[in-house]
Amino acid sequence: MGDWFEVRDYDAAGRIGELTVPRADVTVETPALLPVVNPHVRTVEPARMESEFGAEILITNGYILYGSEDARESALSDGLHDLYDFSGAIMTDSGSFQLSEYGEIDVDTREILDFQRDIGSDIGTPVDIPTPPDVSREQAADELATTQERLELAAEVETGEMLVNAPVQGSTYPDLRERAARDAYGTDLDVFPVGAMVPLLNDYRFADVVDMVAAAKRGLGADAPVHLFGAGHPMMFALAVAMGCDLFDSAAYALYARDDRYLTVRGTEHLEDLEYFPCECPICASHTPDELESCGDADRERLLAEHNLHVTFGEIRRIKQAIRQGNLLELVEARARGHPTMLDGYRALGDHAEQLEATDPATKDAFFYLSGESAARPEVLRHHQRLERLDADGEILLTEGDTNEAYDESWRVVPPFGPFPRDLSEVYPLNAEVPERLDERAYARAADGVARLAEANPDVDFTLGHTGWPARALDRVPADVDTYELGVDDAFGDPEDDADETA
Amino acid sequence: MGDWFEVRDYDAAGRIGELTVPRADVTVETPALLPVVNPHVRTVEPARMESEFGAEILITNGYILYGSEDARESALSDGLHDLYDFSGAIMTDSGSFQLSEYGEIDVDTREILDFQRDIGSDIGTPVDIPTPPDVSREQAADELATTQERLELAAEVETGEMLVNAPVQGSTYPDLRERAARDAYGTDLDVFPVGAMVPLLNDYRFADVVDMVAAAKRGLGADAPVHLFGAGHPMMFALAVAMGCDLFDSAAYALYARDDRYLTVRGTEHLEDLEYFPCECPICASHTPDELESCGDADRERLLAEHNLHVTFGEIRRIKQAIRQGNLLELVEARARGHPTMLDGYRALGDHAEQLEATDPATKDAFFYLSGESAARPEVLRHHQRLERLDADGEILLTEGDTNEAYDESWRVVPPFGPFPRDLSEVYPLNAEVPERLDERAYARAADGVARLAEANPDVDFTLGHTGWPARALDRVPADVDTYELGVDDAFGDPEDDADETA
Ligand SMILES: [Mg+2]
Ligand SMILES: [Mg+2]
Ligand SMILES: [Zn+2]
Ligand SMILES: [Zn+2]
């Protein structure tokens, strides 16, 4: 693997990167969306994708080109870039998807890679085995071994400047996915599609998608560009980027348009169910659903495809902007409310906080607490890890209220983080914006922070002054930490004032 | 009040309605956004708002027209519709906002209403007293008495076909807001702005906004069109509509543009902080932030204002579509993740579930459980109320698992709803889509449902079979309901099978 990918900016495990594609002599900024161009049906011309939608890279199916005599000849004689009138990067697929759908294809890795090179592909793909979810471990491991052989063979093929994909398989076994990724990364190949995700995506199994991406990422170096292969619905881009995916491909923009389906960042709508367009794009700002309904089939399909592309590229821009501003997880919070399975996906992301923490920037503009799930963010974990290393001595009040001179020190307490010395109050993420109405998870995590601090400092006398935490959170505070409720049973306050406050 | 407003569709307390504006001879579909047109500065021409953005109604300041000699004369001679080249409805304000900002204005209600009628306003406004938040109760009540006098005076003024606003004041006292609304509704006036919200909106006090709107709504009939006066940020439209607001006005689109501020449904951005436009609108799809930065001031301001209008009108369309599809609260779920104070607002909405339940449709497409806050939705409350009226006899198993013939009946249990007879499984909202990873609030509410059913049927023997509910939820189940964990301690299962399942 060459020096083709550089990360410019991180947020959680999401990143803005630059993928240098030497054969096309272009640099693609990631996260990037690759529209799928069907060699036989061009709903939106590739040249328009480039000029009007900002596409820097597209993907087309090398196997279909190979299998169709006319297409093959013109691809070989003119080259893909002329055939499609597209000056960006062009990735080609190998037919593995056809293999997974139809069970066989009649081409081998060397042959299809040679062909992809010969038609001018910038990023080619060997024939891997896309093992479906939930198969036996034996099948997954056997097919993975074959895939790895193919990758090693591909690394031997003379592909010139063409980059080559190294798909990561392993079905729904995280350890196999991790090993597959490590082995793929160990070859000389360049781009790492997480493969066979389509069945999971079709079934809205977003928690499984998150777990499989997390596993693959553990096996890959930071300089590995990761393609969530077959993922083209904008509702899950932010979640997938936050887990570390860099490339997406969309056939959906065109396939959905053919069926009068309309993409949004919150799901999919049927045109017939729309009375108003829930979108600001040029198509939706200048047409009503009724107008589209009464268009001819070809116009309607094209206009819906254009809307679908606008939403898809718009979400990629929104994600890039969020990474630059350090609020990608806030965007994921919103997207998690598109469907209960997206919430499952986001809750699964919380399980990987430690993995995300490794690349999450130390400082950002602001931390917004936006749901019980915010309590599982990597920043909270990092603060808890730091609590063990903070100097603490004497008698320390940990309080949601004011300082109290009866103690050697008065630290602040802010759910979901827990305690910290007051001079860290303006430091990210402790300068968080939190709602006034906190949920149990915020209190529970704050209590865990108190516990972590107390356990790391067995000789320090801690007292917790809280504003009425639920019993369940207080149960998580170690027994040797005294607790009292501010304004109710202040250990050192004036009892008569307290009586007023609680009247 | 005449028959000017009809509700077509409800979702929670949100509605699609038709406001007939007789003087303009138009019908405005609500929720509607009224762009504020400054008589002196037209960032986007009203005619373009009508043709390109779909504006059916706008608002302009009658007091500013009145106070400026040139503007007054042309308004009086040409009429507002010619002056602005706008064929929709035109609402005029009275100067109350100037009163609240500058402390005095030199016009009385009769004079300003006459003037508004004379310049051709379709909806005029008397001079009310916009009492700010957090004043003493005495001040709020005194000023409210004055406002009510003005409304009663306004109802006597000969305004012809012009509709007249009846602002609802009362500072941050819910009971005063409710009484103000009841008294305003009792006059002959037509449209009901909830007034003096700007200070709350500027401070992001969305929970207070929700509580004040809820209070005002309690005092108004269902046929009262409600205007959240001064609210123009699209981030909170869905929340406000769900509480029952029908009209919004936006000066923000233009004021923000002048300061290089950029509206989104998740908050406000400064142009200089944007590297990518997080938006699909015609402006953002065809420009980069850098291109806008390098425009001349006038072009940049106009383009930003157009973006701001696109987002604002797009969100109104999105809300209308959500009401038609019965998923407005799902949209509010997403919007609540824009800022911690929006989460406070949504959590406050949960406090008013009973009020929302009164108009929430009995059936919709699907209920999506999208956060701990979903447990507070009106549908859950309604199901709990129905539980008391369901027939129950003998020994009943309430179970998340299969039926069990050892019992007379086996009802299903689905968090957050709780128990129900199996033949209701496909009935809204019990056919809800819920995540696999449920939170404590879902279990707690389900347990409350069990409790409600058991308490209504003291002679029935209930047993609860659950899939590992947290202790805290089980604590809410009455002691006379037996509970067991499915697959662990099945009362009637085969102990050897169980041992396998939990191995
Ligand atoms: Mg090579
Ligand atoms: Mg009248
Ligand atoms: Zn659109
Ligand atoms: Zn825009």
Side-chain angles (χ1 to χ4, degrees), chain A residues 252-291:
Chain A
Y253 80 93
L255 295 176
Y256 282 43
R258 198 167 312 155
D259 295 338
D260 286 341
R261 284 184 296 166
Y262 177 100
L263 296 172
T264 84
V265 294
R266 299 172 55 238
T268 307
E269 303 291 350
H270 281 265
L271 179 58
E272 63 180 10
D273 296 328
L274 293 178
E275 241 180 283
Y276 310 88
F277 278 135
C279 174
E280 290 84 2
C281 88
I283 308 305
C284 299
S286 59
H287 297 80
T288 64
D290 277 350
E291 286 166 11

Side-chain angles (χ1 to χ4, degrees), chain A residues 390 409-412 420-428 430:
Chain A
L390 288 175
E409 292 180 47
S410 293
W411 290 19
R412 286 189 67 203
F420 52 86
R422 289 188 116 66
D423 57 6
L424 295 180
S425 296
E426 297 308 315
V427 176
Y428 186 88
L430 304 169

Side-chain angles (χ1 to χ4, degrees), chain A residues 16 29 52 207 266 269 273-282 284-285 310-311 314-315 317-318 320-321 324-325 327 330-331 333-334 336-340 343-344 347-348 351 368-372 433-440 472, chain B residues 16 29 52 207 266 269 273-282 284-285 310-311 314-315 317-318 320-321 324-325 327 330-331 333-334 336-340 343-344 347-348 351 368-372 433-440 472:
Chain A
I16 292 184
E29 189 176 65
E52 291 177 36
R266 299 172 55 238
E269 303 291 350
D273 296 328
L274 293 178
E275 241 180 283
Y276 310 88
F277 278 135
C279 174
E280 290 84 2
C281 88
C284 299
H310 277 299
V311 173
E315 183 69 352
R317 288 196 301 274
R318 201 173 281 116
K320 287 185 189 176
Q321 178 60 29
R324 290 281 195 230
Q325 288 189 297
N327 58 24
E330 279 83 355
L331 180 60
E333 288 267 6
R337 319 303 156 173
H339 193 274
L343 178 58
D344 274 327
R347 288 178 173 176
D351 294 344
F368 282 0
Y369 190 96
L370 298 173
S371 73
E433 303 245 16
V434 298
E436 290 190 12
R437 294 158 177 253
L438 283 166
D439 48 78
E440 296 247 341
R472 185 133 186 287
Chain B
I16 292 185
E29 189 176 65
E52 291 177 36
R266 299 172 55 238
E269 304 290 349
D273 296 329
L274 293 178
E275 241 179 284
Y276 310 88
F277 278 134
C279 173
E280 291 84 3
C281 87
C284 298
H310 277 299
V311 173
E315 183 69 352
R317 288 196 301 274
R318 202 173 279 115
K320 287 184 188 176
Q321 177 60 30
R324 289 280 196 229
Q325 288 189 297
N327 57 26
E330 279 82 355
L331 180 61
E333 287 267 6
R337 319 304 157 171
H339 194 274
L343 178 57
D344 273 327
R347 288 178 172 175
D351 295 343
F368 282 0
Y369 190 94
L370 298 173
S371 73
E433 303 244 18
V434 298
E436 290 190 13
R437 294 158 176 254
L438 283 166
D439 48 79
E440 296 247 341
R472 185 132 186 288

Side-chain angles (χ1 to χ4, degrees), chain B residues 419-449:
Chain B
F420 52 86
R422 287 187 120 66
D423 58 6
L424 296 181
S425 296
E426 296 309 314
V427 176
Y428 186 87
L430 304 170
N431 57 350
E433 303 244 18
V434 298
E436 290 190 13
R437 294 158 176 254
L438 283 166
D439 48 79
E440 296 247 341
R441 294 185 66 188
Y443 293 119
R445 291 286 277 169
D448 291 346

Side-chain angles (χ1 to χ4, degrees), chain A residues 443-444 447 464 466 468-479 483-485:
Chain A
Y443 292 118
L464 172 66
H466 63 88
W469 289 10
R472 185 133 186 287
L474 293 172
D475 286 348
R476 301 165 88 110
V477 174
T483 68
Y484 71 102
E485 186 171 345

